[in-house]
PDB file of all heavy atoms in Angstrom:
ATOM      1  N   THR B  19     -91.800 131.041-199.620  1.00 94.00           N
ATOM      2  CA  THR B  19     -92.981 130.949-198.768  1.00 94.00           C
ATOM      3  C   THR B  19     -93.445 129.502-198.667  1.00 94.00           C
ATOM      4  O   THR B  19     -93.806 129.034-197.581  1.00 94.00           O
ATOM      5  CB  THR B  19     -94.114 131.815-199.344  1.00 94.00           C
ATOM      6  OG1 THR B  19     -93.578 133.079-199.702  1.00 94.00           O
ATOM      7  CG2 THR B  19     -95.209 132.001-198.325  1.00 94.00           C
ATOM      8  N   ALA B  28     -94.685 119.971-191.811  1.00 83.00           N
ATOM      9  CA  ALA B  28     -93.826 118.870-191.402  1.00 83.00           C
ATOM     10  C   ALA B  28     -93.786 118.783-189.883  1.00 83.00           C
ATOM     11  O   ALA B  28     -93.778 117.698-189.303  1.00 83.00           O
ATOM     12  CB  ALA B  28     -92.417 119.069-191.951  1.00 83.00           C
ATOM     13  N   VAL B 100     -84.632 129.213-176.374  1.00 75.00           N
ATOM     14  CA  VAL B 100     -85.686 129.400-177.356  1.00 75.00           C
ATOM     15  C   VAL B 100     -86.487 128.119-177.455  1.00 75.00           C
ATOM     16  O   VAL B 100     -85.928 127.032-177.349  1.00 75.00           O
ATOM     17  CB  VAL B 100     -85.083 129.737-178.737  1.00 75.00           C
ATOM     18  CG1 VAL B 100     -86.163 129.846-179.781  1.00 75.00           C
ATOM     19  CG2 VAL B 100     -84.306 131.019-178.654  1.00 75.00           C
ATOM     20  N   SER B 122     -86.785 143.974-204.162  1.00 91.00           N
ATOM     21  CA  SER B 122     -87.143 143.730-205.556  1.00 91.00           C
ATOM     22  C   SER B 122     -88.516 144.293-205.886  1.00 91.00           C
ATOM     23  O   SER B 122     -89.373 143.596-206.399  1.00 91.00           O
ATOM     24  CB  SER B 122     -87.077 142.245-205.890  1.00 91.00           C
ATOM     25  OG  SER B 122     -87.585 141.495-204.838  1.00 91.00           O
ATOM     26  N   TYR B 160     -87.637 146.851-179.387  1.00 94.00           N
ATOM     27  CA  TYR B 160     -87.559 146.777-180.849  1.00 94.00           C
ATOM     28  C   TYR B 160     -88.928 147.017-181.452  1.00 94.00           C
ATOM     29  O   TYR B 160     -89.078 147.760-182.425  1.00 94.00           O
ATOM     30  CB  TYR B 160     -87.018 145.408-181.245  1.00 94.00           C
ATOM     31  CG  TYR B 160     -86.472 145.332-182.653  1.00 94.00           C
ATOM     32  CD1 TYR B 160     -86.218 146.471-183.400  1.00 94.00           C
ATOM     33  CD2 TYR B 160     -86.202 144.096-183.231  1.00 94.00           C
ATOM     34  CE1 TYR B 160     -85.715 146.381-184.675  1.00 94.00           C
ATOM     35  CE2 TYR B 160     -85.692 144.008-184.510  1.00 94.00           C
ATOM     36  CZ  TYR B 160     -85.456 145.144-185.229  1.00 94.00           C
ATOM     37  OH  TYR B 160     -84.955 145.063-186.490  1.00 94.00           O
ATOM     38  N   VAL B 175     -94.437 158.136-197.083  1.00 94.00           N
ATOM     39  CA  VAL B 175     -95.073 157.654-198.313  1.00 94.00           C
ATOM     40  C   VAL B 175     -96.307 158.495-198.618  1.00 94.00           C
ATOM     41  O   VAL B 175     -96.554 158.870-199.773  1.00 94.00           O
ATOM     42  CB  VAL B 175     -95.443 156.155-198.182  1.00 94.00           C
ATOM     43  CG1 VAL B 175     -96.163 155.687-199.428  1.00 94.00           C
ATOM     44  CG2 VAL B 175     -94.225 155.311-197.937  1.00 94.00           C
ATOM     45  N   GLY B 206     -86.853 163.374-195.381  1.00 93.00           N
ATOM     46  CA  GLY B 206     -86.408 163.238-193.998  1.00 93.00           C
ATOM     47  C   GLY B 206     -87.048 162.045-193.309  1.00 93.00           C
ATOM     48  O   GLY B 206     -86.379 161.277-192.614  1.00 93.00           O
ATOM     49  N   PHE B 208     -88.193 159.361-194.714  1.00 94.00           N
ATOM     50  CA  PHE B 208     -87.640 158.132-195.291  1.00 94.00           C
ATOM     51  C   PHE B 208     -86.284 157.819-194.661  1.00 94.00           C
ATOM     52  O   PHE B 208     -85.999 156.678-194.324  1.00 94.00           O
ATOM     53  CB  PHE B 208     -87.486 158.261-196.810  1.00 94.00           C
ATOM     54  CG  PHE B 208     -88.653 157.715-197.555  1.00 94.00           C
ATOM     55  CD1 PHE B 208     -89.791 158.460-197.710  1.00 94.00           C
ATOM     56  CD2 PHE B 208     -88.606 156.437-198.086  1.00 94.00           C
ATOM     57  CE1 PHE B 208     -90.878 157.954-198.373  1.00 94.00           C
ATOM     58  CE2 PHE B 208     -89.698 155.922-198.757  1.00 94.00           C
ATOM     59  CZ  PHE B 208     -90.835 156.681-198.906  1.00 94.00           C
ATOM     60  N   TRP B 267     -79.853 165.175-199.856  1.00 88.00           N
ATOM     61  CA  TRP B 267     -79.648 163.982-199.016  1.00 88.00           C
ATOM     62  C   TRP B 267     -78.189 163.585-198.922  1.00 88.00           C
ATOM     63  O   TRP B 267     -77.797 162.926-197.958  1.00 88.00           O
ATOM     64  CB  TRP B 267     -80.546 162.810-199.396  1.00 88.00           C
ATOM     65  CG  TRP B 267     -80.506 162.246-200.792  1.00 88.00           C
ATOM     66  CD1 TRP B 267     -81.430 162.468-201.759  1.00 88.00           C
ATOM     67  CD2 TRP B 267     -79.554 161.327-201.338  1.00 88.00           C
ATOM     68  NE1 TRP B 267     -81.111 161.762-202.877  1.00 88.00           N
ATOM     69  CE2 TRP B 267     -79.967 161.057-202.660  1.00 88.00           C
ATOM     70  CE3 TRP B 267     -78.394 160.714-200.866  1.00 88.00           C
ATOM     71  CZ2 TRP B 267     -79.259 160.202-203.491  1.00 88.00           C
ATOM     72  CZ3 TRP B 267     -77.706 159.871-201.692  1.00 88.00           C
ATOM     73  CH2 TRP B 267     -78.136 159.624-202.989  1.00 88.00           C
ATOM     74  N   ILE B 268     -77.358 164.010-199.865  1.00 90.00           N
ATOM     75  CA  ILE B 268     -75.934 163.701-199.739  1.00 90.00           C
ATOM     76  C   ILE B 268     -75.357 164.392-198.511  1.00 90.00           C
ATOM     77  O   ILE B 268     -74.651 163.774-197.713  1.00 90.00           O
ATOM     78  CB  ILE B 268     -75.179 164.132-201.008  1.00 90.00           C
ATOM     79  CG1 ILE B 268     -75.395 163.094-202.099  1.00 90.00           C
ATOM     80  CG2 ILE B 268     -73.691 164.284-200.733  1.00 90.00           C
ATOM     81  CD1 ILE B 268     -74.689 163.405-203.376  1.00 90.00           C
ATOM     82  N   GLY B 364     -59.526 130.094-177.827  1.00 82.00           N
ATOM     83  CA  GLY B 364     -58.669 129.824-178.985  1.00 82.00           C
ATOM     84  C   GLY B 364     -57.936 128.497-178.877  1.00 82.00           C
ATOM     85  O   GLY B 364     -57.617 127.881-179.904  1.00 82.00           O
ATOM     86  N   LEU B 420     -59.847 148.866-184.586  1.00 90.00           N
ATOM     87  CA  LEU B 420     -58.812 147.844-184.425  1.00 90.00           C
ATOM     88  C   LEU B 420     -58.650 147.442-182.961  1.00 90.00           C
ATOM     89  O   LEU B 420     -58.500 146.272-182.631  1.00 90.00           O
ATOM     90  CB  LEU B 420     -57.493 148.429-184.945  1.00 90.00           C
ATOM     91  CG  LEU B 420     -56.440 147.461-185.447  1.00 90.00           C
ATOM     92  CD1 LEU B 420     -57.040 146.604-186.529  1.00 90.00           C
ATOM     93  CD2 LEU B 420     -55.254 148.251-185.998  1.00 90.00           C
ATOM     94  N   LEU B 472     -66.131 142.903-207.133  1.00 90.00           N
ATOM     95  CA  LEU B 472     -66.585 144.292-207.213  1.00 90.00           C
ATOM     96  C   LEU B 472     -67.074 144.589-208.633  1.00 90.00           C
ATOM     97  O   LEU B 472     -68.106 145.223-208.840  1.00 90.00           O
ATOM     98  CB  LEU B 472     -65.449 145.244-206.843  1.00 90.00           C
ATOM     99  CG  LEU B 472     -65.840 146.713-206.886  1.00 90.00           C
ATOM    100  CD1 LEU B 472     -66.766 147.070-205.737  1.00 90.00           C
ATOM    101  CD2 LEU B 472     -64.627 147.604-206.877  1.00 90.00           C
TER     102      LEU B 472
END
Side-chain angles (χ1 to χ4, degrees):
Chain B
T19 314
V100 176
S122 40
Y160 199 13
V175 177
F208 265 81
W267 58 256
I268 281 181
L420 206 56
L472 181 71

